[in-house]
Amino acid sequence: MTAVLVASDLDRTLIYSARALLLEAADADAPRLVVSEVYQGAPLSFMTRRAEDALSRIASRAAFVPVTTRTVAQYRRVRLPGGVPEHAVTSNGGTILHRGEIDEGWNRSLRRRTAETCAPLVDVQALLTDPSRSSWVLRVHDAESLFLYAIVDRDILPADDLAALSERCVELGWVVSVQGRKLYCVPTTIDKRSAVAEIASRTGADTVLALGDSLLDEGMLTGADLAFRPAHGELHDVGFTASHLTVTSSRGVLAGEEMLLGIEDVIAGG
Ligand SMILES: [Mg+2]
């Protein structure tokens, strides 16, 4: 295997908040963890030390591309081994970073395509801020004017209204994804798969390996030559499977480690 591109989602795939760790063994047997993100002076996201070591080796042998729904500012807090990657994708594919700098050309053409094919952001914003949803949609945020995410009350999230919201969004050319306390509404044009395909074509990668856990990762996993997903998250909940997809046996932060060790095996066996 020559030019390999490893495209990986971050949250709940590579890095895990305390509540997403899902450590099931006795505390004394817990894996050693490293802090991958500090927020307002406190540790927020973690990976295992073994995972970080594996990622470091992967980044030295393949083009490692972080691919996240985080905004650029949220992404820049994440500290991964190997320094600033040549390419990274943020904002769910809305932004490509080249050596840490925003690729304005990609951003412009994507905004143009979105305006042509999807309903405007204000239309979806109106759905989220509708007074009938105020009990469970707590706050609505605009992500770089590309898409929206809301903080929701998971405990009272009404399945029927969520389904109605998803259905209406589909009609508008948008998709809905719920991850933890966040509900994302994203135009269909802004997707990780196209951004990864663009980077693969720019870099001449001939093999793409992809990792992810949520519905927003599905296209990227489907489009990859080999894909990995953890045994937790939205894709696990819907039973997403494919012939080129490996599902971990572990959950939580240990699934992140398992996927990276699997990727390393693939690269070594190339
Ligand atoms: Mg994720």
Side-chain angles (χ1 to χ4, degrees), residues 50-103:
R50 284 184 76 200
E52 201 191 58
D53 289 346
L55 180 55
S56 178
R57 292 187 299 266
I58 290 166
S60 71
R61 302 190 56 180
F64 170 67
V65 181
V67 184
T68 180
T69 303
R70 287 174 173 239
T71 60
V72 175
Q74 291 165 344
Y75 164 72
R76 286 189 169 140
R77 294 200 299 260
V78 179
R79 312 298 295 273
L80 299 173
V84 176
E86 182 77 7
H87 290 96
V89 174
T90 68
S91 323
N92 204 58
T95 298
I96 289 177
L97 298 175
H98 181 233
R99 296 180 184 157
E101 299 297 322
I102 294 174
D103 179 333

Side-chain angles (χ1 to χ4, degrees), residues 124-134 137 140:
V124 177
Q125 198 162 27
L127 295 175
L128 288 171
T129 55
D130 190 285
S132 70
R133 300 198 161 107
S134 63
V137 178
V140 179

Side-chain angles (χ1 to χ4, degrees), residues 8-36:
S8 180
D9 171 49
L10 295 180
D11 294 87
R12 297 176 191 223
T13 295
L14 273 197
I15 63 173
Y16 293 78
S17 64
R19 75 159 87 205
L21 291 175
L22 304 179
L23 291 170
E24 282 148 357
D27 289 346
D29 300 323
R32 281 148 63 88
L33 299 172
V34 294
V35 176
S36 308

